Amino acid sequence: MKTTISKIKSMKGREKISMLTAYDCSTAKYMDEAGIDIILIGDSMGMVVLGYKNTLSVTVEDIMRHTGAVARGAGNALIVADLPANSYDSNETAALNAESLIKSGADNVKIENEPEIAKFLVENKIDVMGHVGITPQTVTDFKVQGKEKETANKIIKMAKDLEEAGCYCIVLEGIPLDLGKRITEALKVPTIGIGAGPYCDGQVLVVNDMLGLYDAFTPKFVKKYAHLAEDMKKAFKDYVKDVKEEKFPEDKHCFH
Ligand code: KIV
């Protein structure tokens, strides 16, 4: 059955919410079959799929194409598409771009900070997931945020403002676990943590990180559930060797 926003909201305090990023159809299909609640077409694709140094070069068109692929693979999960950097500089741009992502297959969109934009989108019937803490589209240093009282209070206020603006759920990224707990307790809507500790209402990871597929850098908060980079390297080496040594194709791979 298709996961709805009311289902996600009702899970707070009752059942943890599982969320992963995906960028292609097959991965989304397997996640869906595993029972994932939410799939995010994250602008993390800039680094883990498109080979950029950060998320800033990702375009709305990039997210649209990959959202279509994910939507064709996943029938049940709630599908959330990131509005990428510079795509929600004004209310009107945000609404136009969000509509394009929804036409591509997203159920709703995610933005970083910006409660005023979130409010405008929600008033225009576009559901919004918020994102605070480490917000890769604007932070210059990727260190844990909110360790000091002042920055912690700013993050709490931003999360509350996003809730007030109508966001149905808030991602907390890269903050101390006690701050994750405080925000989760302070909000009526669910929080989904990435590097924000166990007290959040749900957890999200970048799929390439949890599959061990992105080996440029692994943050402390990532748990690797597979080591696909190693498997791929071995498979490619074995294939090259087989071709060179004329061990592939065998007769069973040939048409007669
Ligand atoms: O782009 C992304 O993958 C994200 C997650 C880290 C939440 O925003």
Side-chain angles (χ1 to χ4, degrees):
M1 238 183 36
K2 177 77 184 173
T3 302
T4 59
I5 286 181
S6 23
K7 159 111 194 281
I8 295 298
K9 284 168 104 174
S10 75
M11 289 167 81
K12 187 173 176 97
R14 292 195 312 118
E15 179 187 342
K16 295 281 184 181
I17 301 163
S18 61
M19 169 165 151
L20 284 170
T21 68
Y23 319 98
D24 69 275
C25 180
S26 316
T27 309
K29 179 173 178 283
Y30 304 142
M31 280 175 190
D32 210 52
E33 286 169 3
I36 198 84
D37 295 308
I38 306 179
I39 300 182
L40 169 70
I41 301 89
D43 61 1
S44 49
M45 80 168 67
M47 283 127 89
V48 302
V49 175
L50 302 176
Y52 297 128
K53 282 208 171 62
N54 53 46
T55 62
L56 302 182
S57 307
V58 175
T59 63
V60 175
E61 288 72 23
D62 290 330
I63 305 271
M64 283 169 68
R65 185 175 308 109
H66 289 268
T67 296
V70 166
R72 285 186 285 278
N76 294 326
L78 188 73
I79 297 178
V80 186
D82 253 345
L83 272 169
N86 308 315
S87 74
Y88 50 104
D89 296 339
S90 70
N91 286 341
E92 291 69 29
T93 331
L96 274 176
N97 288 324
E99 274 158 18
S100 301
L101 297 181
I102 287 166
K103 274 194 196 124
S104 302
D107 295 310
N108 55 82
V109 297
K110 175 165 81 60
I111 64 173
E112 297 181 0
N113 304 313
E114 303 297 346
E116 288 304 316
I117 301 277
K119 187 166 185 279
F120 182 82
L121 292 177
V122 172
E123 281 169 359
N124 283 278
K125 306 208 174 335
I126 297 168
D127 293 304
V128 182
M129 177 182 278
H131 183 157
V132 302
I134 296 183
T135 46
Q137 294 175 10
T138 42
V139 295
T140 42
D141 87 69
F142 281 78
K143 289 201 196 102
V144 176
Q145 303 288 301
K147 277 193 156 178
E148 307 77 25
K149 199 173 170 197
E150 197 189 327
T151 49
N153 286 338
K154 273 193 188 155
I155 295 171
I156 296 172
K157 181 171 178 341
M158 181 57 75
K160 283 185 174 166
D161 287 351
L162 284 167
E163 175 177 60
E164 180 75 26
C167 287
Y168 71 93
C169 176
I170 317 274
V171 168
L172 310 179
E173 178 167 355
I175 58 171
L177 63 99
D178 55 341
L179 181 56
K181 184 168 189 272
R182 274 178 75 192
I183 298 175
T184 300
E185 286 170 358
L187 299 187
K188 288 191 189 70
V189 295
T191 57
I192 303 196
I194 173 161
Y199 303 109
C200 300
D201 298 302
Q203 297 293 326
V204 55
L205 284 175
V206 169
V207 66
N208 297 53
D209 287 338
M210 62 87 77
L211 291 179
L213 197 52
Y214 183 69
D215 60 2
F217 168 68
T218 306
K220 173 186 164 85
F221 56 75
V222 170
K223 177 172 175 182
K224 286 193 183 177
Y225 288 82
H227 299 275
L228 295 196
E230 300 312 314
D231 292 349
M232 283 170 80
K233 286 179 203 171
K234 182 177 178 317
F236 298 145
K237 261 194 177 162
D238 289 350
Y239 172 74
V240 170
K241 190 165 175 284
D242 275 3
V243 172
K244 300 286 178 195
E245 293 176 1
E246 300 182 25
K247 287 186 180 147
F248 174 82
E250 295 166 46
D251 190 61
K252 65 181 174 192
H253 303 121
C254 297
F255 298 109
H256 292 284

